[in-house]
Amino acid sequence: LLPLPLVGGYYVLCYFALTDVPQIDCDVKAGKIINPEFIAKCPPGCQDVKYRVYGTDIYASFSSVCSAAIHSGVIDNAGGKILVQKVAGHSAYRGSFSNGVRSLSLPRWRESFLVSGTILGWGTPHLLSTHLAVAACKKHSNQKGLKISSMFLYLSSDCKVDLSFLMDGSWSIGKRRFQLQKRFLGNMAQALGIGSTGPLMGIVQYGDDPSTEFNLKTYANSKDLRNAIEKIQQKGGLSNVGKALSFVNKNFFLDANGNRGGAPNVVVVIVDGWPTDRVEEASRLARESGINIFFVTVEAAAQSEKQNVIEPNFVDKAVCRTNGFYSLNVPSWFSLQKVVQPLVKRVCDTDRLACSKTCLNAADIGFVIDGSSSVGTGNFRTVLQFVANISKEFEISDTDTRIGAVQYTYEQRLEFSFDKYSTKQDVLNAIKRISYWSGGTSTGAAISYASEQLFSKSKPNKRKIMILITDGRSYDDVSLPAMAAHQNGVIAYSIGVAWAAPDELEAIASDPAKEHSFFVDEFDNLYRYVNRLIQNICTEFNSQPRN
Ligand SMILES: *[C@@H]1O[C@H](CO)[C@@H](O)[C@H](O)[C@H]1NC(C)=O
């Protein structure tokens, strides 16, 4: 058994090696098995629409057990062992799309079930001894009355981040302080509890130029990393932090260097005094690629030294948010050890890491709005409300989500481009100011126009999302312009109202069309699709690999 570290957000999992688990077929429904609780093994390939699932989290027992296990995220299409527990019937089961499985709604059913993995016990981050952890696991397994052949205790971290420390190797720091910096990094490695399922940590040393000491995959445990840190030699030179941030942005977080994709990218810059180059531009680019930048400044410039600082407020210009969360100032190298625990807590607080790309801050969203005569003034205002209601849900700024809009009739008009407004309020005001044009309907030409005027100017690290709203059949062909947009990486949603043509809506929408295309019979019902649309945008985003 491993000792439990006291910091780093660890918890304990007990795994039970279970023997003789029966394999069931993909089409076996929970209702067919009479045991109130059972463990089964699902074969690969159960992610298929023909294995119906009803409900979300709690499933009607009329559902395929294995397909429900995939829907709930317990296993994937490769199959695996699951624990099924029967519970009472419900009066309503809600359908949803999750982990590649679409579950259906059902008004009522006489019996339900829950699916979980075969991890039968767990401790809490506050467990102070392995004895307590073992006791908790045993108690849990006794309650389940399950036969267990052996038990292992694993430590697993909920701090899954890919970290890069930028260490100051400049001459100004001196030998003694460089030693203290190494000790600090070693303590960080220890406190974080480095591991392939938890935090991984690499180090870049900077002086005149930066160089990688270790990347994310060089060391997979704290002990080895700590020993290696002890052996780092000071480079000397200036404190070129801006240069180092550019280097990290371009070279460090690469898959080849152990970047995991699913873990947030975090950079912690340690600076003695102040940088000798500018950091603003390099940090902006790093933040835009989703890197969360923290600064630990040690022995800041005294009043008499302030005139030597080439970029005043360099910390605020560099960090992810200027709310104090991303910056720590330490008065002396000798007190650096005091920030180990606060820093571990912050870099592991993955919910607060705001520079990481999320569904809400990672897009350039272009609305393509039908302004044809058939819409009418009143309905056009409703469409603008719809556009505003969707925009409102996103985090809007020039480094987060940006909004652009095009109105079209027979002709096209750029209402505002992505770079025009950088606050939510300005975007909402601009949407309100769009005036109704009235005319014909050339939807195909509008898509081409939006591709050129909006999406060709989209940032490379942003998702390009087009939301097209139309109420009638187009005068021109929509499929070729739509196909060209899809090929250029535009994710297209089509919203049809009243006389909109279903075949055109489907051609405009990205694949699968039923996730990207919606139809409402009248403008007054548009509001119903606001949440659905955002949900689909986020589901798609979450299912894609990212930094
Ligand atoms: C927009 O949101 C407001 C406020 O929640 C709501 O009253 C309105 O019906 C919504 N309209 C549309 C078209 O989404």
Side-chain angles (χ1 to χ4, degrees):
L1 299 181
L2 300 161
L4 283 166
L6 303 182
V7 290
Y10 271 80
Y11 53 97
V12 177
L13 298 176
C14 327
Y15 282 78
F16 299 87
L18 296 151
T19 50
D20 307 326
V21 174
Q23 173 153 327
I24 55 175
D25 291 332
C26 296
D27 61 357
V28 169
K29 296 174 171 134
K32 246 181 102 173
I33 298 171
I34 53 170
N35 308 32
E37 183 170 274
F38 59 91
I39 286 179
K41 191 165 174 232
C42 291
C46 295
Q47 188 183 330
D48 190 312
V49 284
K50 68 181 184 231
Y51 308 122
R52 294 286 166 89
V53 185
Y54 301 85
T56 297
D57 299 329
I58 293 180
Y59 303 95
S61 64
F62 188 56
S63 313
S64 151
V65 171
C66 294
S67 192
I70 297 174
H71 182 270
S72 62
V74 172
I75 55 168
D76 59 19
N77 199 34
K81 288 177 201 164
I82 56 168
L83 170 68
V84 178
Q85 291 165 288
K86 302 274 188 68
V87 293
H90 277 236
S91 56
Y93 296 88
R94 184 173 58 83
S96 66
F97 185 75
S98 172
N99 302 308
V101 174
R102 154 101 36 227
S103 72
L104 307 169
S105 300
L106 193 69
R108 64 168 62 244
W109 198 250
R110 60 183 184 290
E111 188 187 44
S112 323
F113 69 98
L114 307 165
V115 197
S116 56
T118 49
I119 301 162
L120 302 182
W122 57 90
T124 70
H126 310 296
L127 277 178
L128 294 183
S129 78
T130 47
H131 299 291
L132 284 177
V134 170
C137 290
K138 276 191 175 154
K139 185 168 162 219
H140 208 87
S141 61
N142 286 340
Q143 280 168 356
K144 295 270 162 295
L146 292 161
K147 225 171 80 188
I148 289 154
S149 60
S150 60
M151 177 171 73
F152 303 93
L153 195 60
Y154 282 93
L155 293 175
S156 177
S157 174
D158 57 2
C159 173
K160 190 175 174 194
V161 287
D162 287 343
L163 277 158
S164 172
F165 279 81
L166 263 55
M167 115 186 257
D168 193 337
S170 63
W171 289 131
S172 70
I173 188 173
K175 271 211 167 63
R176 178 79 203 276
R177 290 174 164 82
F178 190 75
Q179 258 335 99
L180 290 168
Q181 183 174 214
K182 288 204 295 194
R183 197 208 293 170
F184 168 72
L185 289 170
N187 289 344
M188 280 300 296
Q190 183 70 29
L192 281 160
I194 302 304
S196 56
T197 60
L200 289 179
M201 169 174 164
I203 294 179
V204 169
Q205 185 180 177
Y206 67 89
D208 289 340
D209 296 302
S211 59
T212 301
E213 299 287 344
F214 324 116
N215 65 35
L216 293 164
K217 62 179 188 190
T218 316
Y219 298 105
N221 67 70
S222 300
K223 192 163 159 263
D224 293 347
L225 178 56
R226 217 184 156 136
N227 291 338
I229 289 169
E230 269 313 303
K231 301 196 180 85
I232 295 177
Q233 298 290 318
Q234 187 172 3
K235 283 168 74 77
L238 296 170
S239 292
N240 289 333
V241 175
K243 219 173 186 182
L245 281 165
S246 299
F247 173 84
V248 166
N249 190 21
K250 286 200 195 84
N251 306 298
F252 190 87
F253 293 109
L254 304 177
D255 294 349
N257 293 338
N259 188 49
R260 288 172 289 182
N265 290 160
V266 176
V267 167
V268 179
V269 183
I270 306 169
V271 201
D272 175 51
W274 58 90
T276 48
D277 65 349
R278 292 184 174 272
V279 300
E280 185 172 9
E281 177 69 4
S283 331
R284 185 179 64 78
L285 293 171
R287 288 195 308 266
E288 282 183 6
S289 33
I291 298 175
N292 295 278
I293 304 177
F294 284 79
F295 260 64
V296 177
T297 44
V298 192
E299 302 186 2
Q303 207 54 42
S304 61
E305 296 170 319
K306 285 256 161 80
Q307 79 272 14
N308 302 328
V309 180
I310 64 157
E311 196 179 28
N313 298 328
F314 63 91
V315 173
D316 280 355
K317 285 175 181 163
V319 294
C320 199
R321 291 277 185 280
T322 54
N323 56 5
F325 181 75
Y326 292 92
S327 48
L328 285 159
N329 179 251
V330 186
S332 131
W333 283 97
F334 296 91
S335 48
L336 190 56
Q337 310 311 322
K338 286 193 193 131
V339 304
V340 170
Q341 301 232 4
L343 190 57
V344 166
K345 236 176 142 174
R346 291 189 198 183
V347 299
C348 287
D349 193 351
T350 49
D351 290 339
R352 282 188 71 181
L353 296 179
C355 280
S356 290
K357 282 180 258 181
T358 70
C359 153
L360 300 181
N361 69 11
D364 279 339
I365 302 178
F367 289 95
V368 181
I369 304 165
D370 185 343
S372 61
S373 310
S374 53
V375 175
T377 314
N379 289 333
F380 190 75
R381 299 250 68 89
T382 306
V383 170
L384 294 185
Q385 244 188 41
F386 178 73
V387 168
N389 285 359
I390 292 167
S391 304
K392 245 184 233 166
E393 296 301 316
F394 290 84
E395 289 170 28
I396 294 171
S397 83
D398 58 356
T399 53
D400 295 300
T401 286
R402 304 185 303 169
I403 307 281
V406 161
Q407 185 182 174
Y408 74 96
T409 55
Y410 193 64
E411 299 164 279
Q412 309 83 35
R413 182 160 87 194
L414 180 66
E415 299 291 354
F416 53 90
S417 55
F418 291 133
D419 60 7
K420 187 80 189 269
Y421 301 109
S422 57
T423 70
K424 191 177 285 185
Q425 202 47 58
D426 288 350
V427 165
L428 295 178
N429 290 341
I431 293 169
K432 258 197 211 132
R433 284 199 303 268
I434 296 176
S435 66
Y436 177 41
W437 202 352
S438 186
T441 315
S442 289
T443 312
I447 295 170
S448 303
Y449 182 83
S451 298
E452 280 157 31
Q453 296 296 317
L454 288 176
F455 295 109
S456 68
K457 291 161 192 156
S458 186
K459 291 185 187 173
N461 61 340
K462 295 285 169 188
R463 307 176 68 226
K464 297 190 268 255
I465 296 177
M466 176 170 80
I467 300 176
L468 184 142
I469 305 143
T470 181
D471 83 330
R473 188 171 278 284
S474 176
Y475 292 359
D476 62 1
D477 166 64
V478 298
S479 18
L480 287 178
M483 214 184 292
H486 300 163
Q487 273 163 6
N488 285 326
V490 173
I491 300 164
Y493 285 84
S494 56
I495 320 290
V497 191
W499 302 282
D503 57 321
E504 287 183 354
L505 294 176
E506 196 168 323
I508 295 164
S510 291
D511 264 327
K514 73 180 201 310
E515 312 281 354
H516 295 90
S517 179
F518 304 98
F519 180 80
V520 285
D521 49 358
E522 50 182 303
F523 285 93
D524 284 342
N525 288 332
L526 263 179
Y527 75 95
R528 292 190 187 155
Y529 283 93
V530 171
N531 288 338
R532 176 76 180 282
L533 194 60
I534 291 158
Q535 229 173 53
N536 284 15
I537 290 173
C538 290
T539 304
E540 183 167 43
F541 176 82
N542 289 331
S543 68
Q544 287 165 350
R546 63 191 152 120
N547 279 329

Short mmCIF file of all heavy atoms in Angstrom, two decimals, residues 164-198:
data_model
loop_
_atom_site.label_atom_id
_atom_site.label_comp_id
_atom_site.label_asym_id
_atom_site.label_seq_id
_atom_site.Cartn_x
_atom_site.Cartn_y
_atom_site.Cartn_z
N SER A 164 3.94 23.39 -17.06
CA SER A 164 5.31 23.76 -17.42
C SER A 164 5.76 24.85 -16.47
O SER A 164 5.09 25.87 -16.33
CB SER A 164 5.34 24.28 -18.86
OG SER A 164 6.60 24.80 -19.14
N PHE A 165 6.86 24.62 -15.77
CA PHE A 165 7.43 25.67 -14.92
C PHE A 165 8.53 26.37 -15.70
O PHE A 165 9.41 25.71 -16.25
CB PHE A 165 7.99 25.09 -13.62
CG PHE A 165 6.92 24.84 -12.59
CD1 PHE A 165 6.13 23.71 -12.66
CD2 PHE A 165 6.69 25.76 -11.59
CE1 PHE A 165 5.13 23.49 -11.73
CE2 PHE A 165 5.69 25.56 -10.65
CZ PHE A 165 4.92 24.42 -10.72
N LEU A 166 8.46 27.71 -15.75
CA LEU A 166 9.51 28.48 -16.38
C LEU A 166 10.43 28.97 -15.27
O LEU A 166 10.04 29.82 -14.47
CB LEU A 166 8.91 29.66 -17.15
CG LEU A 166 8.70 29.44 -18.64
CD1 LEU A 166 7.87 28.20 -18.88
CD2 LEU A 166 8.03 30.63 -19.27
N MET A 167 11.62 28.39 -15.22
CA MET A 167 12.49 28.72 -14.11
C MET A 167 13.52 29.75 -14.53
O MET A 167 14.01 29.74 -15.66
CB MET A 167 13.07 27.40 -13.58
CG MET A 167 14.52 27.17 -13.69
SD MET A 167 14.95 25.48 -13.17
CE MET A 167 15.61 25.81 -11.54
N ASP A 168 13.78 30.67 -13.62
CA ASP A 168 14.68 31.79 -13.91
C ASP A 168 16.13 31.34 -13.73
O ASP A 168 16.53 30.97 -12.63
CB ASP A 168 14.34 32.93 -12.94
CG ASP A 168 14.98 34.25 -13.35
OD1 ASP A 168 16.00 34.21 -14.07
OD2 ASP A 168 14.47 35.30 -12.93
N GLY A 169 16.90 31.36 -14.84
CA GLY A 169 18.30 30.94 -14.77
C GLY A 169 19.26 32.10 -14.95
O GLY A 169 20.45 31.89 -15.20
N SER A 170 18.72 33.34 -14.87
CA SER A 170 19.57 34.51 -15.15
C SER A 170 20.65 34.68 -14.08
O SER A 170 20.51 34.23 -12.95
CB SER A 170 18.69 35.77 -15.22
OG SER A 170 18.08 35.99 -13.98
N TRP A 171 21.72 35.39 -14.47
CA TRP A 171 22.84 35.62 -13.53
C TRP A 171 22.41 36.42 -12.32
O TRP A 171 22.92 36.22 -11.22
CB TRP A 171 24.01 36.33 -14.23
CG TRP A 171 24.76 35.48 -15.20
CD1 TRP A 171 25.11 35.83 -16.48
CD2 TRP A 171 25.30 34.17 -14.99
NE1 TRP A 171 25.80 34.81 -17.09
CE2 TRP A 171 25.94 33.77 -16.20
CE3 TRP A 171 25.29 33.26 -13.91
CZ2 TRP A 171 26.57 32.54 -16.36
CZ3 TRP A 171 25.91 32.04 -14.06
CH2 TRP A 171 26.54 31.68 -15.27
N SER A 172 21.43 37.33 -12.54
CA SER A 172 21.05 38.25 -11.46
C SER A 172 20.59 37.50 -10.21
O SER A 172 20.67 38.00 -9.10
CB SER A 172 19.94 39.19 -11.93
OG SER A 172 18.74 38.45 -12.09
N ILE A 173 20.14 36.30 -10.40
CA ILE A 173 19.55 35.55 -9.29
C ILE A 173 20.61 35.01 -8.31
O ILE A 173 20.36 34.88 -7.12
CB ILE A 173 18.64 34.44 -9.85
CG1 ILE A 173 17.82 33.73 -8.77
CG2 ILE A 173 19.41 33.40 -10.60
CD1 ILE A 173 16.82 32.75 -9.34
N GLY A 174 21.79 34.70 -8.82
CA GLY A 174 22.86 34.21 -7.94
C GLY A 174 22.71 32.73 -7.63
O GLY A 174 21.65 32.15 -7.80
N LYS A 175 23.82 32.14 -7.15
CA LYS A 175 23.87 30.69 -6.93
C LYS A 175 22.94 30.23 -5.82
O LYS A 175 22.20 29.25 -5.94
CB LYS A 175 25.31 30.28 -6.55
CG LYS A 175 26.18 29.95 -7.71
CD LYS A 175 27.22 28.88 -7.31
CE LYS A 175 27.91 28.27 -8.51
NZ LYS A 175 28.72 29.25 -9.28
N ARG A 176 23.00 30.96 -4.72
CA ARG A 176 22.24 30.58 -3.53
C ARG A 176 20.74 30.56 -3.81
O ARG A 176 20.03 29.63 -3.46
CB ARG A 176 22.58 31.58 -2.42
CG ARG A 176 21.87 31.38 -1.12
CD ARG A 176 22.51 30.26 -0.33
NE ARG A 176 21.59 29.66 0.63
CZ ARG A 176 21.36 30.14 1.84
NH1 ARG A 176 22.00 31.24 2.24
NH2 ARG A 176 20.51 29.57 2.65
N ARG A 177 20.28 31.66 -4.49
CA ARG A 177 18.85 31.77 -4.78
C ARG A 177 18.42 30.75 -5.83
O ARG A 177 17.29 30.29 -5.80
CB ARG A 177 18.52 33.19 -5.21
CG ARG A 177 18.64 34.17 -4.07
CD ARG A 177 18.44 35.59 -4.55
NE ARG A 177 18.18 36.48 -3.43
CZ ARG A 177 19.10 37.00 -2.64
NH1 ARG A 177 20.38 36.73 -2.87
NH2 ARG A 177 18.78 37.80 -1.66
N PHE A 178 19.32 30.43 -6.73
CA PHE A 178 19.00 29.41 -7.73
C PHE A 178 18.75 28.07 -7.03
O PHE A 178 17.84 27.32 -7.38
CB PHE A 178 20.14 29.28 -8.76
CG PHE A 178 19.77 28.43 -9.95
CD1 PHE A 178 18.93 28.92 -10.94
CD2 PHE A 178 20.26 27.13 -10.08
CE1 PHE A 178 18.57 28.13 -12.04
CE2 PHE A 178 19.91 26.34 -11.17
CZ PHE A 178 19.06 26.84 -12.16
N GLN A 179 19.55 27.78 -6.01
CA GLN A 179 19.35 26.58 -5.18
C GLN A 179 17.97 26.58 -4.53
O GLN A 179 17.28 25.56 -4.52
CB GLN A 179 20.41 26.55 -4.05
CG GLN A 179 21.61 25.64 -4.18
CD GLN A 179 21.45 24.43 -5.07
OE1 GLN A 179 21.88 24.47 -6.22
NE2 GLN A 179 20.84 23.37 -4.55
N LEU A 180 17.60 27.74 -3.99
CA LEU A 180 16.28 27.85 -3.33
C LEU A 180 15.15 27.62 -4.33
O LEU A 180 14.13 27.02 -4.00
CB LEU A 180 16.13 29.23 -2.67
CG LEU A 180 16.99 29.49 -1.45
CD1 LEU A 180 16.97 30.97 -1.07
CD2 LEU A 180 16.52 28.63 -0.27
N GLN A 181 15.36 28.08 -5.54
CA GLN A 181 14.37 27.89 -6.60
C GLN A 181 14.22 26.40 -6.92
O GLN A 181 13.11 25.89 -7.09
CB GLN A 181 14.77 28.68 -7.85
CG GLN A 181 13.76 28.61 -8.97
CD GLN A 181 14.11 29.51 -10.14
OE1 GLN A 181 13.24 30.04 -10.78
NE2 GLN A 181 15.39 29.69 -10.42
N LYS A 182 15.36 25.70 -6.97
CA LYS A 182 15.31 24.26 -7.24
C LYS A 182 14.59 23.53 -6.12
O LYS A 182 13.80 22.61 -6.36
CB LYS A 182 16.73 23.70 -7.42
CG LYS A 182 17.38 24.14 -8.72
CD LYS A 182 18.46 23.21 -9.19
CE LYS A 182 19.67 23.16 -8.28
NZ LYS A 182 20.83 22.52 -8.93
N ARG A 183 14.86 23.97 -4.90
CA ARG A 183 14.19 23.30 -3.77
C ARG A 183 12.67 23.50 -3.86
O ARG A 183 11.89 22.59 -3.62
CB ARG A 183 14.72 23.84 -2.44
CG ARG A 183 14.35 22.88 -1.31
CD ARG A 183 14.22 23.56 0.02
NE ARG A 183 15.48 24.07 0.52
CZ ARG A 183 15.58 24.87 1.58
NH1 ARG A 183 14.49 25.23 2.24
NH2 ARG A 183 16.75 25.32 1.98
N PHE A 184 12.31 24.74 -4.25
CA PHE A 184 10.89 25.05 -4.41
C PHE A 184 10.26 24.14 -5.47
O PHE A 184 9.19 23.56 -5.27
CB PHE A 184 10.73 26.53 -4.80
CG PHE A 184 9.36 26.90 -5.27
CD1 PHE A 184 8.30 26.98 -4.38
CD2 PHE A 184 9.12 27.18 -6.62
CE1 PHE A 184 7.02 27.34 -4.82
CE2 PHE A 184 7.85 27.52 -7.06
CZ PHE A 184 6.81 27.60 -6.16
N LEU A 185 10.93 23.99 -6.61
CA LEU A 185 10.38 23.15 -7.69
C LEU A 185 10.28 21.69 -7.26
O LEU A 185 9.31 21.00 -7.58
CB LEU A 185 11.24 23.29 -8.95
CG LEU A 185 11.11 24.64 -9.66
CD1 LEU A 185 12.16 24.77 -10.76
CD2 LEU A 185 9.71 24.83 -10.23
N GLY A 186 11.28 21.23 -6.51
CA GLY A 186 11.25 19.86 -5.98
C GLY A 186 10.07 19.67 -5.04
O GLY A 186 9.36 18.66 -5.11
N ASN A 187 9.82 20.66 -4.20
CA ASN A 187 8.69 20.58 -3.29
C ASN A 187 7.36 20.62 -4.03
O ASN A 187 6.40 19.96 -3.64
CB ASN A 187 8.74 21.71 -2.25
CG ASN A 187 9.87 21.51 -1.25
OD1 ASN A 187 10.42 20.40 -1.14
ND2 ASN A 187 10.26 22.56 -0.55
N MET A 188 7.33 21.40 -5.10
CA MET A 188 6.11 21.44 -5.92
C MET A 188 5.84 20.05 -6.51
O MET A 188 4.70 19.57 -6.49
CB MET A 188 6.25 22.45 -7.08
CG MET A 188 6.04 23.89 -6.71
SD MET A 188 4.42 24.32 -6.01
CE MET A 188 3.27 23.98 -7.33
N ALA A 189 6.91 19.43 -7.05
CA ALA A 189 6.76 18.10 -7.65
C ALA A 189 6.24 17.12 -6.61
O ALA A 189 5.35 16.31 -6.89
CB ALA A 189 8.09 17.63 -8.21
N GLN A 190 6.77 17.21 -5.39
CA GLN A 190 6.35 16.32 -4.31
C GLN A 190 4.89 16.56 -3.93
O GLN A 190 4.10 15.63 -3.84
CB GLN A 190 7.25 16.58 -3.10
CG GLN A 190 6.97 15.69 -1.92
CD GLN A 190 7.39 14.25 -2.20
OE1 GLN A 190 8.32 14.02 -2.97
NE2 GLN A 190 6.69 13.31 -1.61
N ALA A 191 4.55 17.84 -3.76
CA ALA A 191 3.20 18.17 -3.30
C ALA A 191 2.14 17.86 -4.35
O ALA A 191 1.02 17.49 -4.02
CB ALA A 191 3.14 19.64 -2.92
N LEU A 192 2.51 18.02 -5.62
CA LEU A 192 1.54 17.75 -6.68
C LEU A 192 1.26 16.26 -6.80
O LEU A 192 0.15 15.86 -7.11
CB LEU A 192 2.07 18.27 -8.02
CG LEU A 192 1.94 19.78 -8.26
CD1 LEU A 192 2.90 20.22 -9.34
CD2 LEU A 192 0.51 20.14 -8.63
N GLY A 193 2.27 15.44 -6.52
CA GLY A 193 2.10 14.01 -6.72
C GLY A 193 2.03 13.70 -8.21
O GLY A 193 0.96 13.44 -8.76
N ILE A 194 3.19 13.77 -8.88
CA ILE A 194 3.25 13.58 -10.33
C ILE A 194 2.85 12.15 -10.69
O ILE A 194 3.24 11.20 -10.01
CB ILE A 194 4.69 13.84 -10.82
CG1 ILE A 194 5.15 15.26 -10.44
CG2 ILE A 194 4.83 13.60 -12.32
CD1 ILE A 194 4.25 16.36 -10.94
N GLY A 195 2.06 12.02 -11.73
CA GLY A 195 1.66 10.67 -12.16
C GLY A 195 0.89 10.74 -13.46
O GLY A 195 0.30 11.78 -13.78
N SER A 196 0.88 9.64 -14.18
CA SER A 196 0.31 9.68 -15.53
C SER A 196 -1.21 9.90 -15.51
O SER A 196 -1.77 10.33 -16.50
CB SER A 196 0.64 8.40 -16.28
OG SER A 196 0.19 7.31 -15.52
N THR A 197 -1.88 9.64 -14.37
CA THR A 197 -3.31 9.94 -14.34
C THR A 197 -3.59 11.25 -13.61
O THR A 197 -4.72 11.71 -13.54
CB THR A 197 -4.11 8.83 -13.62
OG1 THR A 197 -3.61 8.73 -12.29
CG2 THR A 197 -3.94 7.49 -14.32
N GLY A 198 -2.54 11.85 -13.05
CA GLY A 198 -2.70 13.12 -12.35
C GLY A 198 -1.92 14.21 -13.04
O GLY A 198 -1.90 14.28 -14.26
#
